[in-house]
Amino acid sequence: RDEQRTTTTLRHAAPTPAPAAAPKPQGKISHVTSRRETAAAAPSACDAFLAAIIKAQDSSHASFAAALREINAGRKSSHWIWYVWPSHKEVRRTSRPEYALPHSSFAVAWLRHPVLGHRLLEITSSACKHLESGLAARTLFGSAVDVDKFAECMAVFLVAAEHQQPPLEESAAICRKALLLLDRPGAHEGAHEVATREMA
């Protein structure tokens, strides 16, 4: 009977509830969210590049203001061309590669920037006035190398301006004028080809 009672008791006993599942750790999800938020908050490569250009142009040594004074006076005499009329990294190696355009799309952002775009047009317009007056390009830019750098820069910015919808007409017109005044097609053909390929 004792065995029968025990068996009956076991048959009618309420089933033991299964242990509650342990909560899933949230640390990994929080970590992913944090990384996404950080990525969203971080400046883009283009923003960081333009910020570095602004910082260089506003430096106390060889600033944009100094560059503009030199060009207005008719002769480049100090070292600032890397961050005023930049080279393209696929076209020319320079001693300051951190200021070279990584891609032609960066030239578009430069032209659209409220400070850098205005400065580029201002100093290029000044250079064009001297070239129109008959001043030799080598005298204006200080060396044959910098004449070629200027030509390459104008070619990249011209293509960048022309490939916008609608085109950046004022920028394109000044760059086109500068190249015509230089009359050195061989100096910028490579830059034009690279920019055209990248902006296609």
Side-chain angles (χ1 to χ4, degrees):
R1 289 182 181 178
D2 289 340
E3 289 179 0
Q4 186 177 3
R5 188 182 301 112
T6 302
T7 303
T8 303
T9 302
L10 289 174
R11 284 178 181 173
H12 294 284
T16 304
K24 294 181 179 180
Q26 299 296 312
K28 189 173 183 180
I29 296 175
S30 298
H31 177 63
V32 172
T33 302
S34 176
R35 288 179 62 184
R36 287 177 180 171
E37 290 174 352
T38 301
S44 70
C46 188
D47 290 338
F49 174 76
L50 296 181
I53 296 295
I54 284 284
K55 183 177 180 180
Q57 289 193 2
D58 290 345
S59 66
S60 57
H61 176 69
S63 64
F64 174 80
L68 184 60
R69 283 195 300 270
E70 291 177 17
I71 295 301
N72 284 342
R75 185 177 182 86
K76 176 182 177 292
S77 57
S78 60
H79 305 292
W80 43 257
I81 196 167
W82 310 284
Y83 46 82
V84 173
W85 286 312
S87 297
H88 189 299
K89 72 172 187 177
E90 297 297 330
V91 177
R92 177 181 293 272
R93 292 182 180 179
T94 75
S95 59
R96 301 300 297 273
E98 67 270 28
Y99 299 128
L101 296 167
H103 189 275
S104 298
S105 60
F106 285 57
V108 176
W110 188 307
L111 290 172
R112 293 187 181 280
H113 191 279
V115 175
L116 293 176
H118 172 75
R119 287 178 175 179
L120 181 73
L121 299 188
E122 182 180 18
I123 196 168
T124 303
S125 296
S126 178
C128 285
K129 289 178 182 178
H130 286 296
L131 294 172
E132 280 183 305
S133 72
L135 182 65
R138 186 165 182 171
T139 299
L140 177 61
F141 297 107
S143 71
V145 171
D146 280 1
V147 173
D148 288 347
K149 287 181 180 179
F150 176 75
E152 292 163 0
C153 175
M154 291 296 100
V156 172
F157 278 95
L158 172 60
V159 173
E162 288 180 333
H163 279 70
Q164 298 309 292
Q165 294 298 331
L168 305 179
E169 293 290 358
E170 183 182 7
S171 301
I174 291 178
C175 294
R176 192 180 301 113
K177 181 178 183 179
L179 290 172
L180 289 172
L181 289 168
L182 283 177
D183 193 24
R184 292 167 62 92
H188 67 266
E189 285 178 353
H192 191 278
E193 290 175 2
V194 168
T196 300
R197 182 180 71 247
E198 290 182 342
M199 297 304 298

